[in-house]
Amino acid sequence: MAVDDGMIVALGSADEIRRSDPEAETVALDGWVMPGLIEPHGHPGFSAILLSDLVVDLRPVVIPDADGVLAALRTAVADAGGEAVFANGWDALLQRGLPDPDIRFLDDLAGSVPLVVIHNSGHSVYFNTAAALAAGLDRSTPDPVGASFVRDAEGGLTGVALEAAAVEMVVAPMLAKAQQHLPRILPAHLRDLSSRGITTVSDLSWNPGLDPLIDALRAQGAMPLRLRWYEMSRPGGAPSVRGGEDPVFRQTGVKTWSDGSPWVGNIATSFPYLDTPATRGLGLEPHHIGHANYTPDELSAIAEPYAAAGWQLACHVHGDRAIDATLDVYAQIIARHGLTDHRFRLEHCGAMTPAQFERAASLGVTVSLFVDHITYWGEVLVDDLFGAEHGGAWADAGAAFAAGHRATFHNDGWVTPNEPFRNMAVAETRTTRSGYRMPGGTVVTREQALLAHTANAAWQLFSEHEVGALSPGLFADFIVVDRDPVTVSSEDLAATQVSATYVGGVRVV
Ligand SMILES: [Zn+2]
C-alpha cells in the first residue's frame, strides 16, 4: 500500500509499489493490516465524563453484583467530603438484588450529600433530595417534552427522571463541574478509542460546547481520530445550515429518541413484558407495555425542520411499535421533500422484525444494531423480559443484511465496552458471554461483520468517499492487528488485539 499526503495512492505487490516510486520510504508493519474501525453510534463527549475519575463507575462490566454497587456508593459518599457524588452504571437486571433506587433510599444512603445515580442505559437517572436541590428541581418543575420526572400521588418528585431531556436537568451540575476537567479527560478518552482500532467515531449527542477542545487538539496535531457528530433534536429546534467537508470533524445529522431503554420498561412494543420477578423488580405492572416518547405527530414536527434543511435524521428505536411509527414519519418526510439519498437512520433496532427491516430498506432507511446487547443481556432478554419469540430474535443483524441493508454495529458510548471485534463475533454467533445461544434471529457472515464496522459505517456517516476501506483515493486510515480477521474463528476474532492505529497515514497509537 502506497501512501502519499495522508491518502492511499496505490495497492499492489511490494515490487510494483517500489517500481512506481523508488524513492518512497518503506514502513514494515508487523501483523495484518485492515481498514480502521468505525464506531457509527458512540457518545465520546459524554463518555469522556462518565468514564472519567469524576464519576463513580458502577457499570455491570466493572461491578457484577448488587452488594458491590451499594458498597461503592457508600464509600464514595463517605469520601466525598460533602461534595456531590455522581455514579454511572446502575443495572438491576444484571446486578441482581438492587433496591428500588427512589428518593427515600438515596436520602438514607447519602443524607445531605447530593447523590445522582445514572442507569447504565443513560435513559434514566436517580437522585436524592440534596441533588434535586443542587439541580434546582422541585415539584413545580415541569416535565420537558419527550421526558418526565416520576412523581408521587401528591406530585412530589420520587427521585427518578426518565429520558434525555429530564436526565440532562439532573446531571447539569455534573456537566458544569466537568468543564474544567474536559481538556484532560476528552483527549484521553479519544486516545483510548483509537487504541482500540477506532479511526472514526460518531457522537450521537454531541455538545458543540466541546468544539474549541477539538480545535485545540487539532492545532497541537493530537487529534487521534475523525469525529462525525449529530446534534440533539429539540422540539421547535432551529437547524443549522448544512455544509462543510472537513474530513476530520463535522456534523453529519440530527438525533431524535423515539422510545427508551428495554432495561427500564420504556420501549414501545406491540407485545407485553413478561411477568417475572425481574420485571416486578423494575416496578413494572404485570404485562406492562412501554410507550413512545412522542406521538407520530410530535415526532414529525420535531424532525421536519431538520430534514427540510437537508440533514440526515437518526432516531433511537427499540420497540416494534416505535419502529413502525418512526418509519411512518420518515416515509412522509421522504415523500414530502422527494428525498433520494437521505440515509435516514434507525438506531439499536432491538425488536425490529424481518418485515420491518425490509420496509426500512425499501424506503432507503439504514440501520445500526446494538448486537452487543446479546453479549451481556441475552439471558435477560429471553428469560426475564420478552421470552424466546421477541427476546430471542433481539438485534437481528442477519435479518437486516438479508433485507439488503448496509447494516452497522455499535457499542453506544459507555453502555458496553468499545470492542468492535466482539460486536462482529456476537453477530456471527448470537451467543452470550456465558455461552447461551439466542433461540431466534439469524447470524451474519464474516464479510458482513467486517463491513459493519468499516465500509458500511463509513457510508452511514456520509464518509465513504474518505474512509472505510483500503482503496486508492481514500485516507490512509488503517490498523495493524495480531491475527487474520478474515479467517480466524469468531471466538478468536473477538479477542483481536490492535498493535497500531494510523489516521491519514500518521501513526496515532
Ligand atoms: Zn446512543
Side-chain angles (χ1 to χ4, degrees):
M1 181 166 69
V3 173
D4 187 22
D5 199 20
M7 312 290 287
I8 299 169
V9 292
L11 295 168
S13 71
D15 282 347
E16 286 166 352
I17 298 288
R18 268 191 218 103
R19 265 201 303 277
S20 70
D21 186 354
E23 306 294 299
E25 177 196 359
T26 303
V27 179
L29 301 171
D30 185 18
W32 280 261
V33 173
M34 63 174 286
L37 300 171
I38 299 174
E39 165 56 287
H41 181 134
H43 296 273
F46 198 33
S47 298
I49 298 170
L50 286 185
L51 299 177
S52 76
D53 51 6
L54 305 176
V55 175
V56 182
D57 193 355
L58 305 176
R59 291 174 303 149
V61 297
V62 177
I63 304 181
D65 56 33
D67 288 346
V69 169
L70 297 177
L73 283 176
R74 290 203 176 89
T75 302
V77 167
D79 293 349
E83 294 271 312
V85 171
F86 297 93
N88 173 56
W90 183 280
D91 186 342
L93 290 168
L94 293 182
Q95 296 153 334
R96 287 299 166 94
L98 282 175
D100 196 9
D102 63 5
I103 203 160
R104 261 189 308 255
F105 172 76
L106 295 178
D107 281 346
D108 280 350
L109 195 150
S112 61
V113 174
L115 174 61
V116 173
V117 179
I118 303 167
H119 188 274
N120 192 58
S121 68
H123 283 263
S124 59
V125 66
Y126 314 111
F127 54 93
N128 69 351
T129 302
L133 207 64
L137 305 170
D138 60 32
R139 63 174 55 237
S140 70
T141 306
D143 286 346
V145 178
S148 62
F149 294 99
V150 180
R151 296 166 197 271
D152 60 25
E154 282 78 48
L157 299 177
T158 65
V160 181
L162 296 174
E163 293 304 304
V167 168
E168 277 182 0
M169 292 165 74
V170 180
V171 303
M174 175 184 85
L175 299 179
K177 175 180 152 192
Q179 283 306 317
Q180 60 177 303
H181 298 276
L182 278 165
R184 169 177 64 90
I185 62 183
L186 180 62
H189 181 63
L190 297 181
R191 280 195 297 272
D192 177 65
L193 294 176
S194 82
S195 75
R196 295 163 182 266
I198 295 170
T199 51
T200 298
V201 65
S202 179
D203 191 308
L204 273 283
S205 57
W206 183 248
N207 166 15
L210 300 176
D211 289 3
L213 285 178
I214 299 296
D215 293 342
L217 266 183
R218 294 178 68 178
Q220 298 158 20
M223 182 70 175
L225 38 56
R226 301 177 197 281
L227 211 161
R228 301 285 179 269
W229 60 272
Y230 292 71
E231 76 180 86
M232 294 169 73
S233 66
R234 306 280 173 195
S240 49
V241 177
R242 175 125 197 241
E245 280 298 319
D246 186 334
V248 176
F249 177 64
R250 69 167 181 263
Q251 182 172 2
T252 303
V254 178
K255 171 81 180 297
T256 300
W257 285 260
S258 190
D259 64 355
S261 165
W263 322 129
V264 298
N266 59 345
I267 69 169
T269 50
S270 63
F271 49 88
Y273 277 78
L274 302 177
D275 184 12
T276 63
T279 53
R280 294 288 179 102
L282 295 178
L284 306 182
E285 296 293 320
H287 313 298
H288 168 85
I289 293 184
H291 59 85
N293 293 336
Y294 304 106
T295 67
D297 284 349
E298 285 173 336
L299 188 61
S300 182
I302 292 168
E304 168 59 28
Y306 297 105
W311 289 109
Q312 181 194 34
L313 303 175
C315 193
H316 170 115
V317 287
H318 268 306
D320 56 341
R321 280 198 301 127
I323 290 162
D324 276 340
T326 304
L327 287 175
D328 289 346
V329 170
Y330 278 176
Q332 290 163 11
I333 291 173
I334 291 163
R336 190 180 305 135
H337 297 286
L339 302 177
T340 52
D341 190 22
H342 49 83
R343 307 184 200 181
F344 287 173
R345 297 175 51 160
L346 297 178
E347 309 302 311
H348 313 318
C349 309
M352 191 159 177
T353 65
Q356 290 179 319
F357 282 116
E358 285 174 16
R359 183 182 175 209
S362 75
L363 288 168
V365 170
T366 179
V367 293
S368 189
L369 291 99
F370 201 159
V371 289
D372 207 21
H373 272 174
I374 294 168
T375 307
Y376 292 97
W377 292 274
E379 292 91 343
V380 166
L381 284 162
V382 174
D383 298 336
D384 298 316
L385 300 185
F386 302 120
E389 183 189 351
H390 300 294
W394 197 258
D396 193 351
F401 281 104
H405 281 285
R406 295 189 232 194
T408 67
F409 307 148
H410 59 256
N411 292 106
D412 201 11
W414 66 92
V415 179
T416 62
N418 279 280
E419 294 175 341
F421 287 109
R422 197 162 43 83
N423 287 343
M424 299 179 200
V426 73
E428 289 178 5
T429 64
R430 296 189 63 79
T431 299
T432 70
R433 58 181 165 164
S434 47
Y436 171 71
R437 171 79 186 240
M438 298 295 275
T442 40
V443 299
V444 305
T445 65
R446 177 60 49 86
E447 184 184 6
Q448 290 167 339
L450 288 165
L451 288 170
H453 269 296
T454 56
N456 288 4
W459 177 83
Q460 214 163 55
L461 297 173
F462 283 93
S463 299
E464 75 275 18
H465 58 297
E466 299 163 315
V467 296
L470 301 181
S471 298
L474 300 189
F475 285 109
D477 288 10
F478 60 93
I479 58 176
V480 183
V481 296
D482 66 342
R483 62 202 75 190
D484 181 351
V486 175
T487 60
V488 294
S489 69
S490 298
E491 292 70 24
D492 280 349
L493 183 69
T496 299
Q497 298 295 309
V498 176
S499 60
T501 303
Y502 288 76
V503 174
V506 175
R507 185 168 180 178
V508 292
V509 173

